[in-house]
Amino acid sequence: MGDSVPSGSDRNDLQDSTGDALASLIACPVCDTLHRDSEVPDGAQARCHRCGTVLLAPRAGAMTQIVLLALTAAILMVAAIFFPFLDLQAGGQHREGSVIGAILAFSDGWMMPLSLAVGALVVLLPLTRLLAIVYTLAPMAFGWRPAPHAERAFRLAEGLRPWAMAEVFIVGVAVALVKIAGLATVTPGFAFWAFALLVLITALKDTFMCRLSVWKTLERRRAP
Amino acid sequence: MEDAGTAPGALTARAAGLVACTQCGRVHPLGTPQCRRCGSDLASRDDTSLQRVWAWLFAGMIAYVPANLSPMLLTSTFGRTRENTIIGGVFELFDHGSYGVALVIFLASVVVPIGKFIAIAYLALSVRSRGLARGHARQRLYEVVEFIGRWSMIDVFVVAILSALVQLDFIATVKPGVAAASFALSVAFTMLSAQAFDPRLIWDSYEVEET
């Protein structure tokens, strides 16, 4: 990243310039400080001069890596839904719990909306986010033009980020295991490991992702 | 960079008569309704930001009251039914010697929600009076609040998992209590409150000094 734009620079000049000339500037999303947008070498980071927010952190081959990781996480998510999650044994009784079971735990009576919310936070929103990322970035990884409405899909993916709570759920499972431990024998099933792996992969993918780089690439590829 | 709040010579998009996209960083002439690069709605400063912050924050605080007073978990073991509030659950885990898990639940369900109420209220108030704390400290506080909010949902998920799994007729059954719903609402409202906050407001108060 170049320098921040000095306050002494000619404001009228900036103001009168057409939209295209403004493309050479970039504003920090957190504190609004203007910077000159220059190429950042792969592996380097550009931080805001004023507030220190990371503006750009491009990596070589990041698009391909993100697409593959997101795809893997999505497949694991589908597997985690259908396979047994935890296996409970106590006093000769045997019970298998699945992710769907945990979602439906609130489903009888007036707590029904909470069931929907848990289903959305744990499965639906993380899965939507992964698919939106694949939809946006897969054409980028292949070097194609962006898919139709790719911008909308990536905005959706970024908006869903705080609401995709798969990793919170897996910590909840760990706590639940400890709570039951005295009462019954619990063994984690296939879906438990699939879910834990998907959380790790999602976290890894998010550290590779550089939002501003994705937007700049989208814009460049969209241009005729 | 030590106190970049007053870094000499930094020009903001607003001071330059421009409007910046908070999603992708693209800069536009003032008055442009939508970002050319990513299509997000543009606003130089969101005038309704603080109103929405306070509205969601109060909603979150109100929902947090029944979340603590009513039972979170109804456990029946060998015919006896016990009701546990959030705090009650923490004490029970502590009694059983599960100190680590008790601490996790206590942090996620008590310390983080209350800390978030205070932190968001402080951030929203500090926007009016500059110099309460340096921009960097408040910026860091905002990032922590945004990052940590979702982790409060742990207890709701624990209740969901236990209710689904522990259905062993006479030996033990677990049912969710009212508090699970109001606690989930409280967390969601507080997350919306934090998202409504425009971090650019933190840095705006320094701009008068610079120019």
Side-chain angles (χ1 to χ4, degrees), chain A residues 35-177:
Chain A
H35 298 80
R36 294 202 191 284
D37 187 6
S38 48
E39 281 305 314
V40 178
D42 281 338
Q45 273 190 351
R47 287 174 177 272
C48 172
H49 273 247
R50 192 198 205 185
C51 72
T53 305
V54 176
L55 296 174
L56 291 162
R59 290 170 53 102
M63 299 285 186
T64 318
Q65 288 166 357
I66 293 170
V67 168
L68 291 178
L69 290 173
L71 214 53
T72 315
I75 292 167
L76 285 173
M77 175 67 94
V78 174
I81 297 172
F82 293 110
F83 285 90
F85 200 78
L86 293 172
D87 189 289
L88 188 87
Q89 276 180 313
Q93 288 197 56
H94 171 87
R95 208 179 145 76
E96 267 182 0
S98 65
V99 178
I100 292 287
I103 291 167
L104 294 178
F106 302 114
S107 62
D108 48 324
W110 62 273
M111 292 254 251
M112 179 62 188
L114 191 55
S115 243
L116 294 179
V118 171
L121 295 175
V122 175
V123 174
L124 205 59
L125 297 183
L127 197 58
T128 310
R129 178 159 184 260
L130 292 170
L131 294 179
I133 286 171
V134 171
Y135 182 80
T136 312
L137 296 191
M140 307 285 108
F142 290 121
W144 298 341
R145 282 175 64 84
H149 303 293
E151 286 84 358
R152 188 171 297 181
F154 193 59
R155 278 214 312 275
L156 176 74
E158 283 300 298
L160 286 181
R161 190 186 270 246
W163 300 100
M165 298 198 192
E167 68 269 39
V168 183
F169 182 75
I170 205 80
V171 176
V173 173
V175 171
L177 281 179

Side-chain angles (χ1 to χ4, degrees), chain B residues 40-73:
Chain B
S40 304
D41 291 336
L42 295 176
S44 180
R45 291 299 178 271
D46 189 346
D47 299 328
T48 62
S49 166
L50 286 181
Q51 287 178 34
R52 285 184 291 131
V53 168
W54 286 114
W56 287 122
L57 184 62
F58 283 127
M61 285 169 154
I62 290 167
Y64 192 63
V65 175
N68 275 282
L69 298 180
S70 23
M72 189 85 171
L73 212 56

